[in-house]
Amino acid sequence: MEVILNQENLKQALKRVKANKGAPGVDGISVSELPDHLKRQWPELRSNLLAGRYKPQPVRRVDIPKPGGGTRQLGIPTVMDRFIQQAVMQVLQSQWDPTFSESSYGFRVGRSAHQAVKRAKRYVEEGQHWVVDIDLEKFFDRVNHDVLMRRVAKRITDKRVLKLMRAFLNAGIMQAGLVSLQMEGTPQGGLLSPLLSNVLLDELDRELEKRGLKHVRYADDSNIYVRSKRAGKRVKESITHWLENRLKLKVKVNERKSAVSPPGERKFLGYSISPGKGRAWILIAPESIRRAKSRRREITGRSKGRSLEQVIGKLRVYLTGWRNYYSLNELPSLTRNLLGWIRRRLRSLLWKQWKKGRTRYSELRVRGVSKDLAAQTVGSSHKQWRISLPPALCIALPNRLFREMGRPDI
């Protein structure tokens, strides 16, 4: 606890909490108010932490939509609790991270989703052409506190820190003004939750290594690579049994979530891996393409009354991040086709914005379309999506126009 309350560690924790910003918790205190609040309250808070008396406040629950449908429950701690969790996490992560498995990539310093995907690719290239996709059911909501704290207690001897971590787990959740106690789960949004998930699931990593199985884990998403479907089914059955009995975790029975399949048919961190002759190919998973189209359809919606410049500005923000994440894709036609689809959306957006009749004809003519083609296009009974195909709108609104307006290449 004394190391956690070291002045330099606390300064760094405050800096991180301020940089992360975030919404207020149940007490309504904002991040900007935290420094003044600490000046007034810190002597008492420090005394309570050193004596093992600190009591965290309940987290504020917020439901946020999931990309695949449904909602995810996010827990927002108070800014004071976030500050203390950050100070604890900094010390524990520096001690624990070097002890975690080499097959673990999520929530770790210097490790990334891209590294996890590349490792998975290597296993497929080595001949592991079947993947056991283990998806844990509501992992962060279902973590057994006793099972978790037994693992934590093997790593910490300071009872004050153990008591504090148990208090964070049991702080409860406030929703609609009512507080409900939590007997299981770690709040998604709590700064300690990612580290604690690695503590618990490191035992899964070690079990798989002991069995000689090649696997990659990112947070609660685990893929095990084997040489045959038969071996995969055997591994899935035994690991499911081990997880439920040893760690009290439940594996989803839904085949869409947990299954034994060729790696090209599964999604791992947004990618799929397709075996080829002598090598494997990293591709953007079909589900990720569908999700990207859905988001871009929202941005380029034709009924929102925005200018083309405004739409491209929003697209630029979204596409820059998307391009950076999916930069591992090794099949250019996937992004090329997606880019063509975006251009069609932009052309059909402009076509709808141009008024019918003379204005549309004038816009086409001034942009280099011949009289006959302009008249034929304006007189067409087709809707704007069909009109956005060549030739007229592609002449009037060429690809370079969108590039010059700031739409990034993907």
Side-chain angles (χ1 to χ4, degrees), residues 68-276:
T71 59
R72 176 180 286 111
Q73 294 177 334
L74 187 67
I76 303 176
T78 65
V79 291
M80 181 61 74
D81 286 340
R82 295 211 291 270
F83 167 67
I84 294 168
Q85 285 191 38
Q86 180 69 34
V88 172
M89 190 269 289
Q90 287 170 180
V91 171
L92 298 186
Q93 184 154 34
S94 66
Q95 295 178 0
W96 294 353
D97 195 83
T99 71
F100 292 148
S101 166
E102 284 297 309
S103 298
S104 161
Y105 289 87
F107 311 127
R108 297 186 62 187
V109 177
R111 291 182 162 238
S112 68
H114 280 187
Q115 292 173 333
V117 173
K118 287 176 182 177
R119 184 171 185 136
K121 175 188 176 180
R122 192 173 78 231
Y123 289 150
V124 175
E125 288 180 335
E126 290 171 356
Q128 321 292 320
H129 289 173
W130 288 85
V131 60
V132 184
D133 188 353
I134 300 291
D135 196 337
L136 298 172
E137 188 171 300
K138 295 184 178 178
F139 170 74
F140 284 98
D141 296 331
R142 296 279 177 85
V143 169
N144 182 289
H145 290 177
D146 292 334
V147 171
L148 173 60
M149 287 306 299
R150 279 200 293 272
R151 273 72 184 170
V152 172
K154 291 178 181 179
R155 295 170 175 265
I156 297 177
T157 55
D158 191 329
K159 291 184 178 179
R160 297 167 298 179
V161 179
L162 288 171
K163 186 177 179 182
L164 178 63
M165 295 181 80
R166 173 73 82 161
F168 278 123
L169 290 174
N170 294 339
I173 289 173
M174 179 177 283
Q175 192 169 29
L178 298 174
V179 176
S180 58
L181 296 178
Q182 293 298 104
M183 306 312 293
E184 61 180 10
T186 64
Q188 291 193 61
L191 298 176
L192 284 170
S193 295
L195 179 62
L196 293 176
S197 72
N198 274 336
V199 169
L200 186 63
L201 293 176
D202 187 63
E203 193 161 336
L204 169 63
D205 298 334
R206 301 304 179 183
E207 176 65 20
L208 294 172
E209 288 166 6
K210 189 170 74 175
R211 298 185 186 194
L213 294 168
K214 296 182 177 181
H215 79 289
V216 185
R217 180 176 65 80
Y218 191 95
D220 59 329
D221 197 352
S222 294
N223 275 7
I224 307 165
Y225 294 87
V226 295
R227 291 187 176 272
S228 69
K229 186 174 184 178
R230 183 178 173 185
K233 287 186 172 181
R234 187 173 63 247
V235 167
K236 182 173 182 277
E237 185 179 343
S238 64
I239 286 299
T240 297
H241 180 77
W242 184 90
L243 282 164
E244 291 177 350
N245 285 273
R246 179 78 175 177
L247 300 185
K248 309 300 179 188
L249 296 172
K250 188 173 176 60
V251 175
K252 286 183 180 176
V253 294
N254 183 347
E255 281 294 310
R256 196 172 69 84
K257 296 292 186 179
S258 298
V260 179
S261 305
E265 296 178 9
R266 304 303 298 176
K267 178 172 72 73
F268 180 54
L269 302 175
Y271 289 96
S272 61
I273 300 169
S274 181

Side-chain angles (χ1 to χ4, degrees), residues 382-398:
H382 291 303
K383 300 288 187 183
Q384 57 261 16
W385 184 244
R386 176 66 182 81
I387 294 288
S388 65
L389 283 170
L393 260 64
C394 289
I395 295 171
L397 303 169

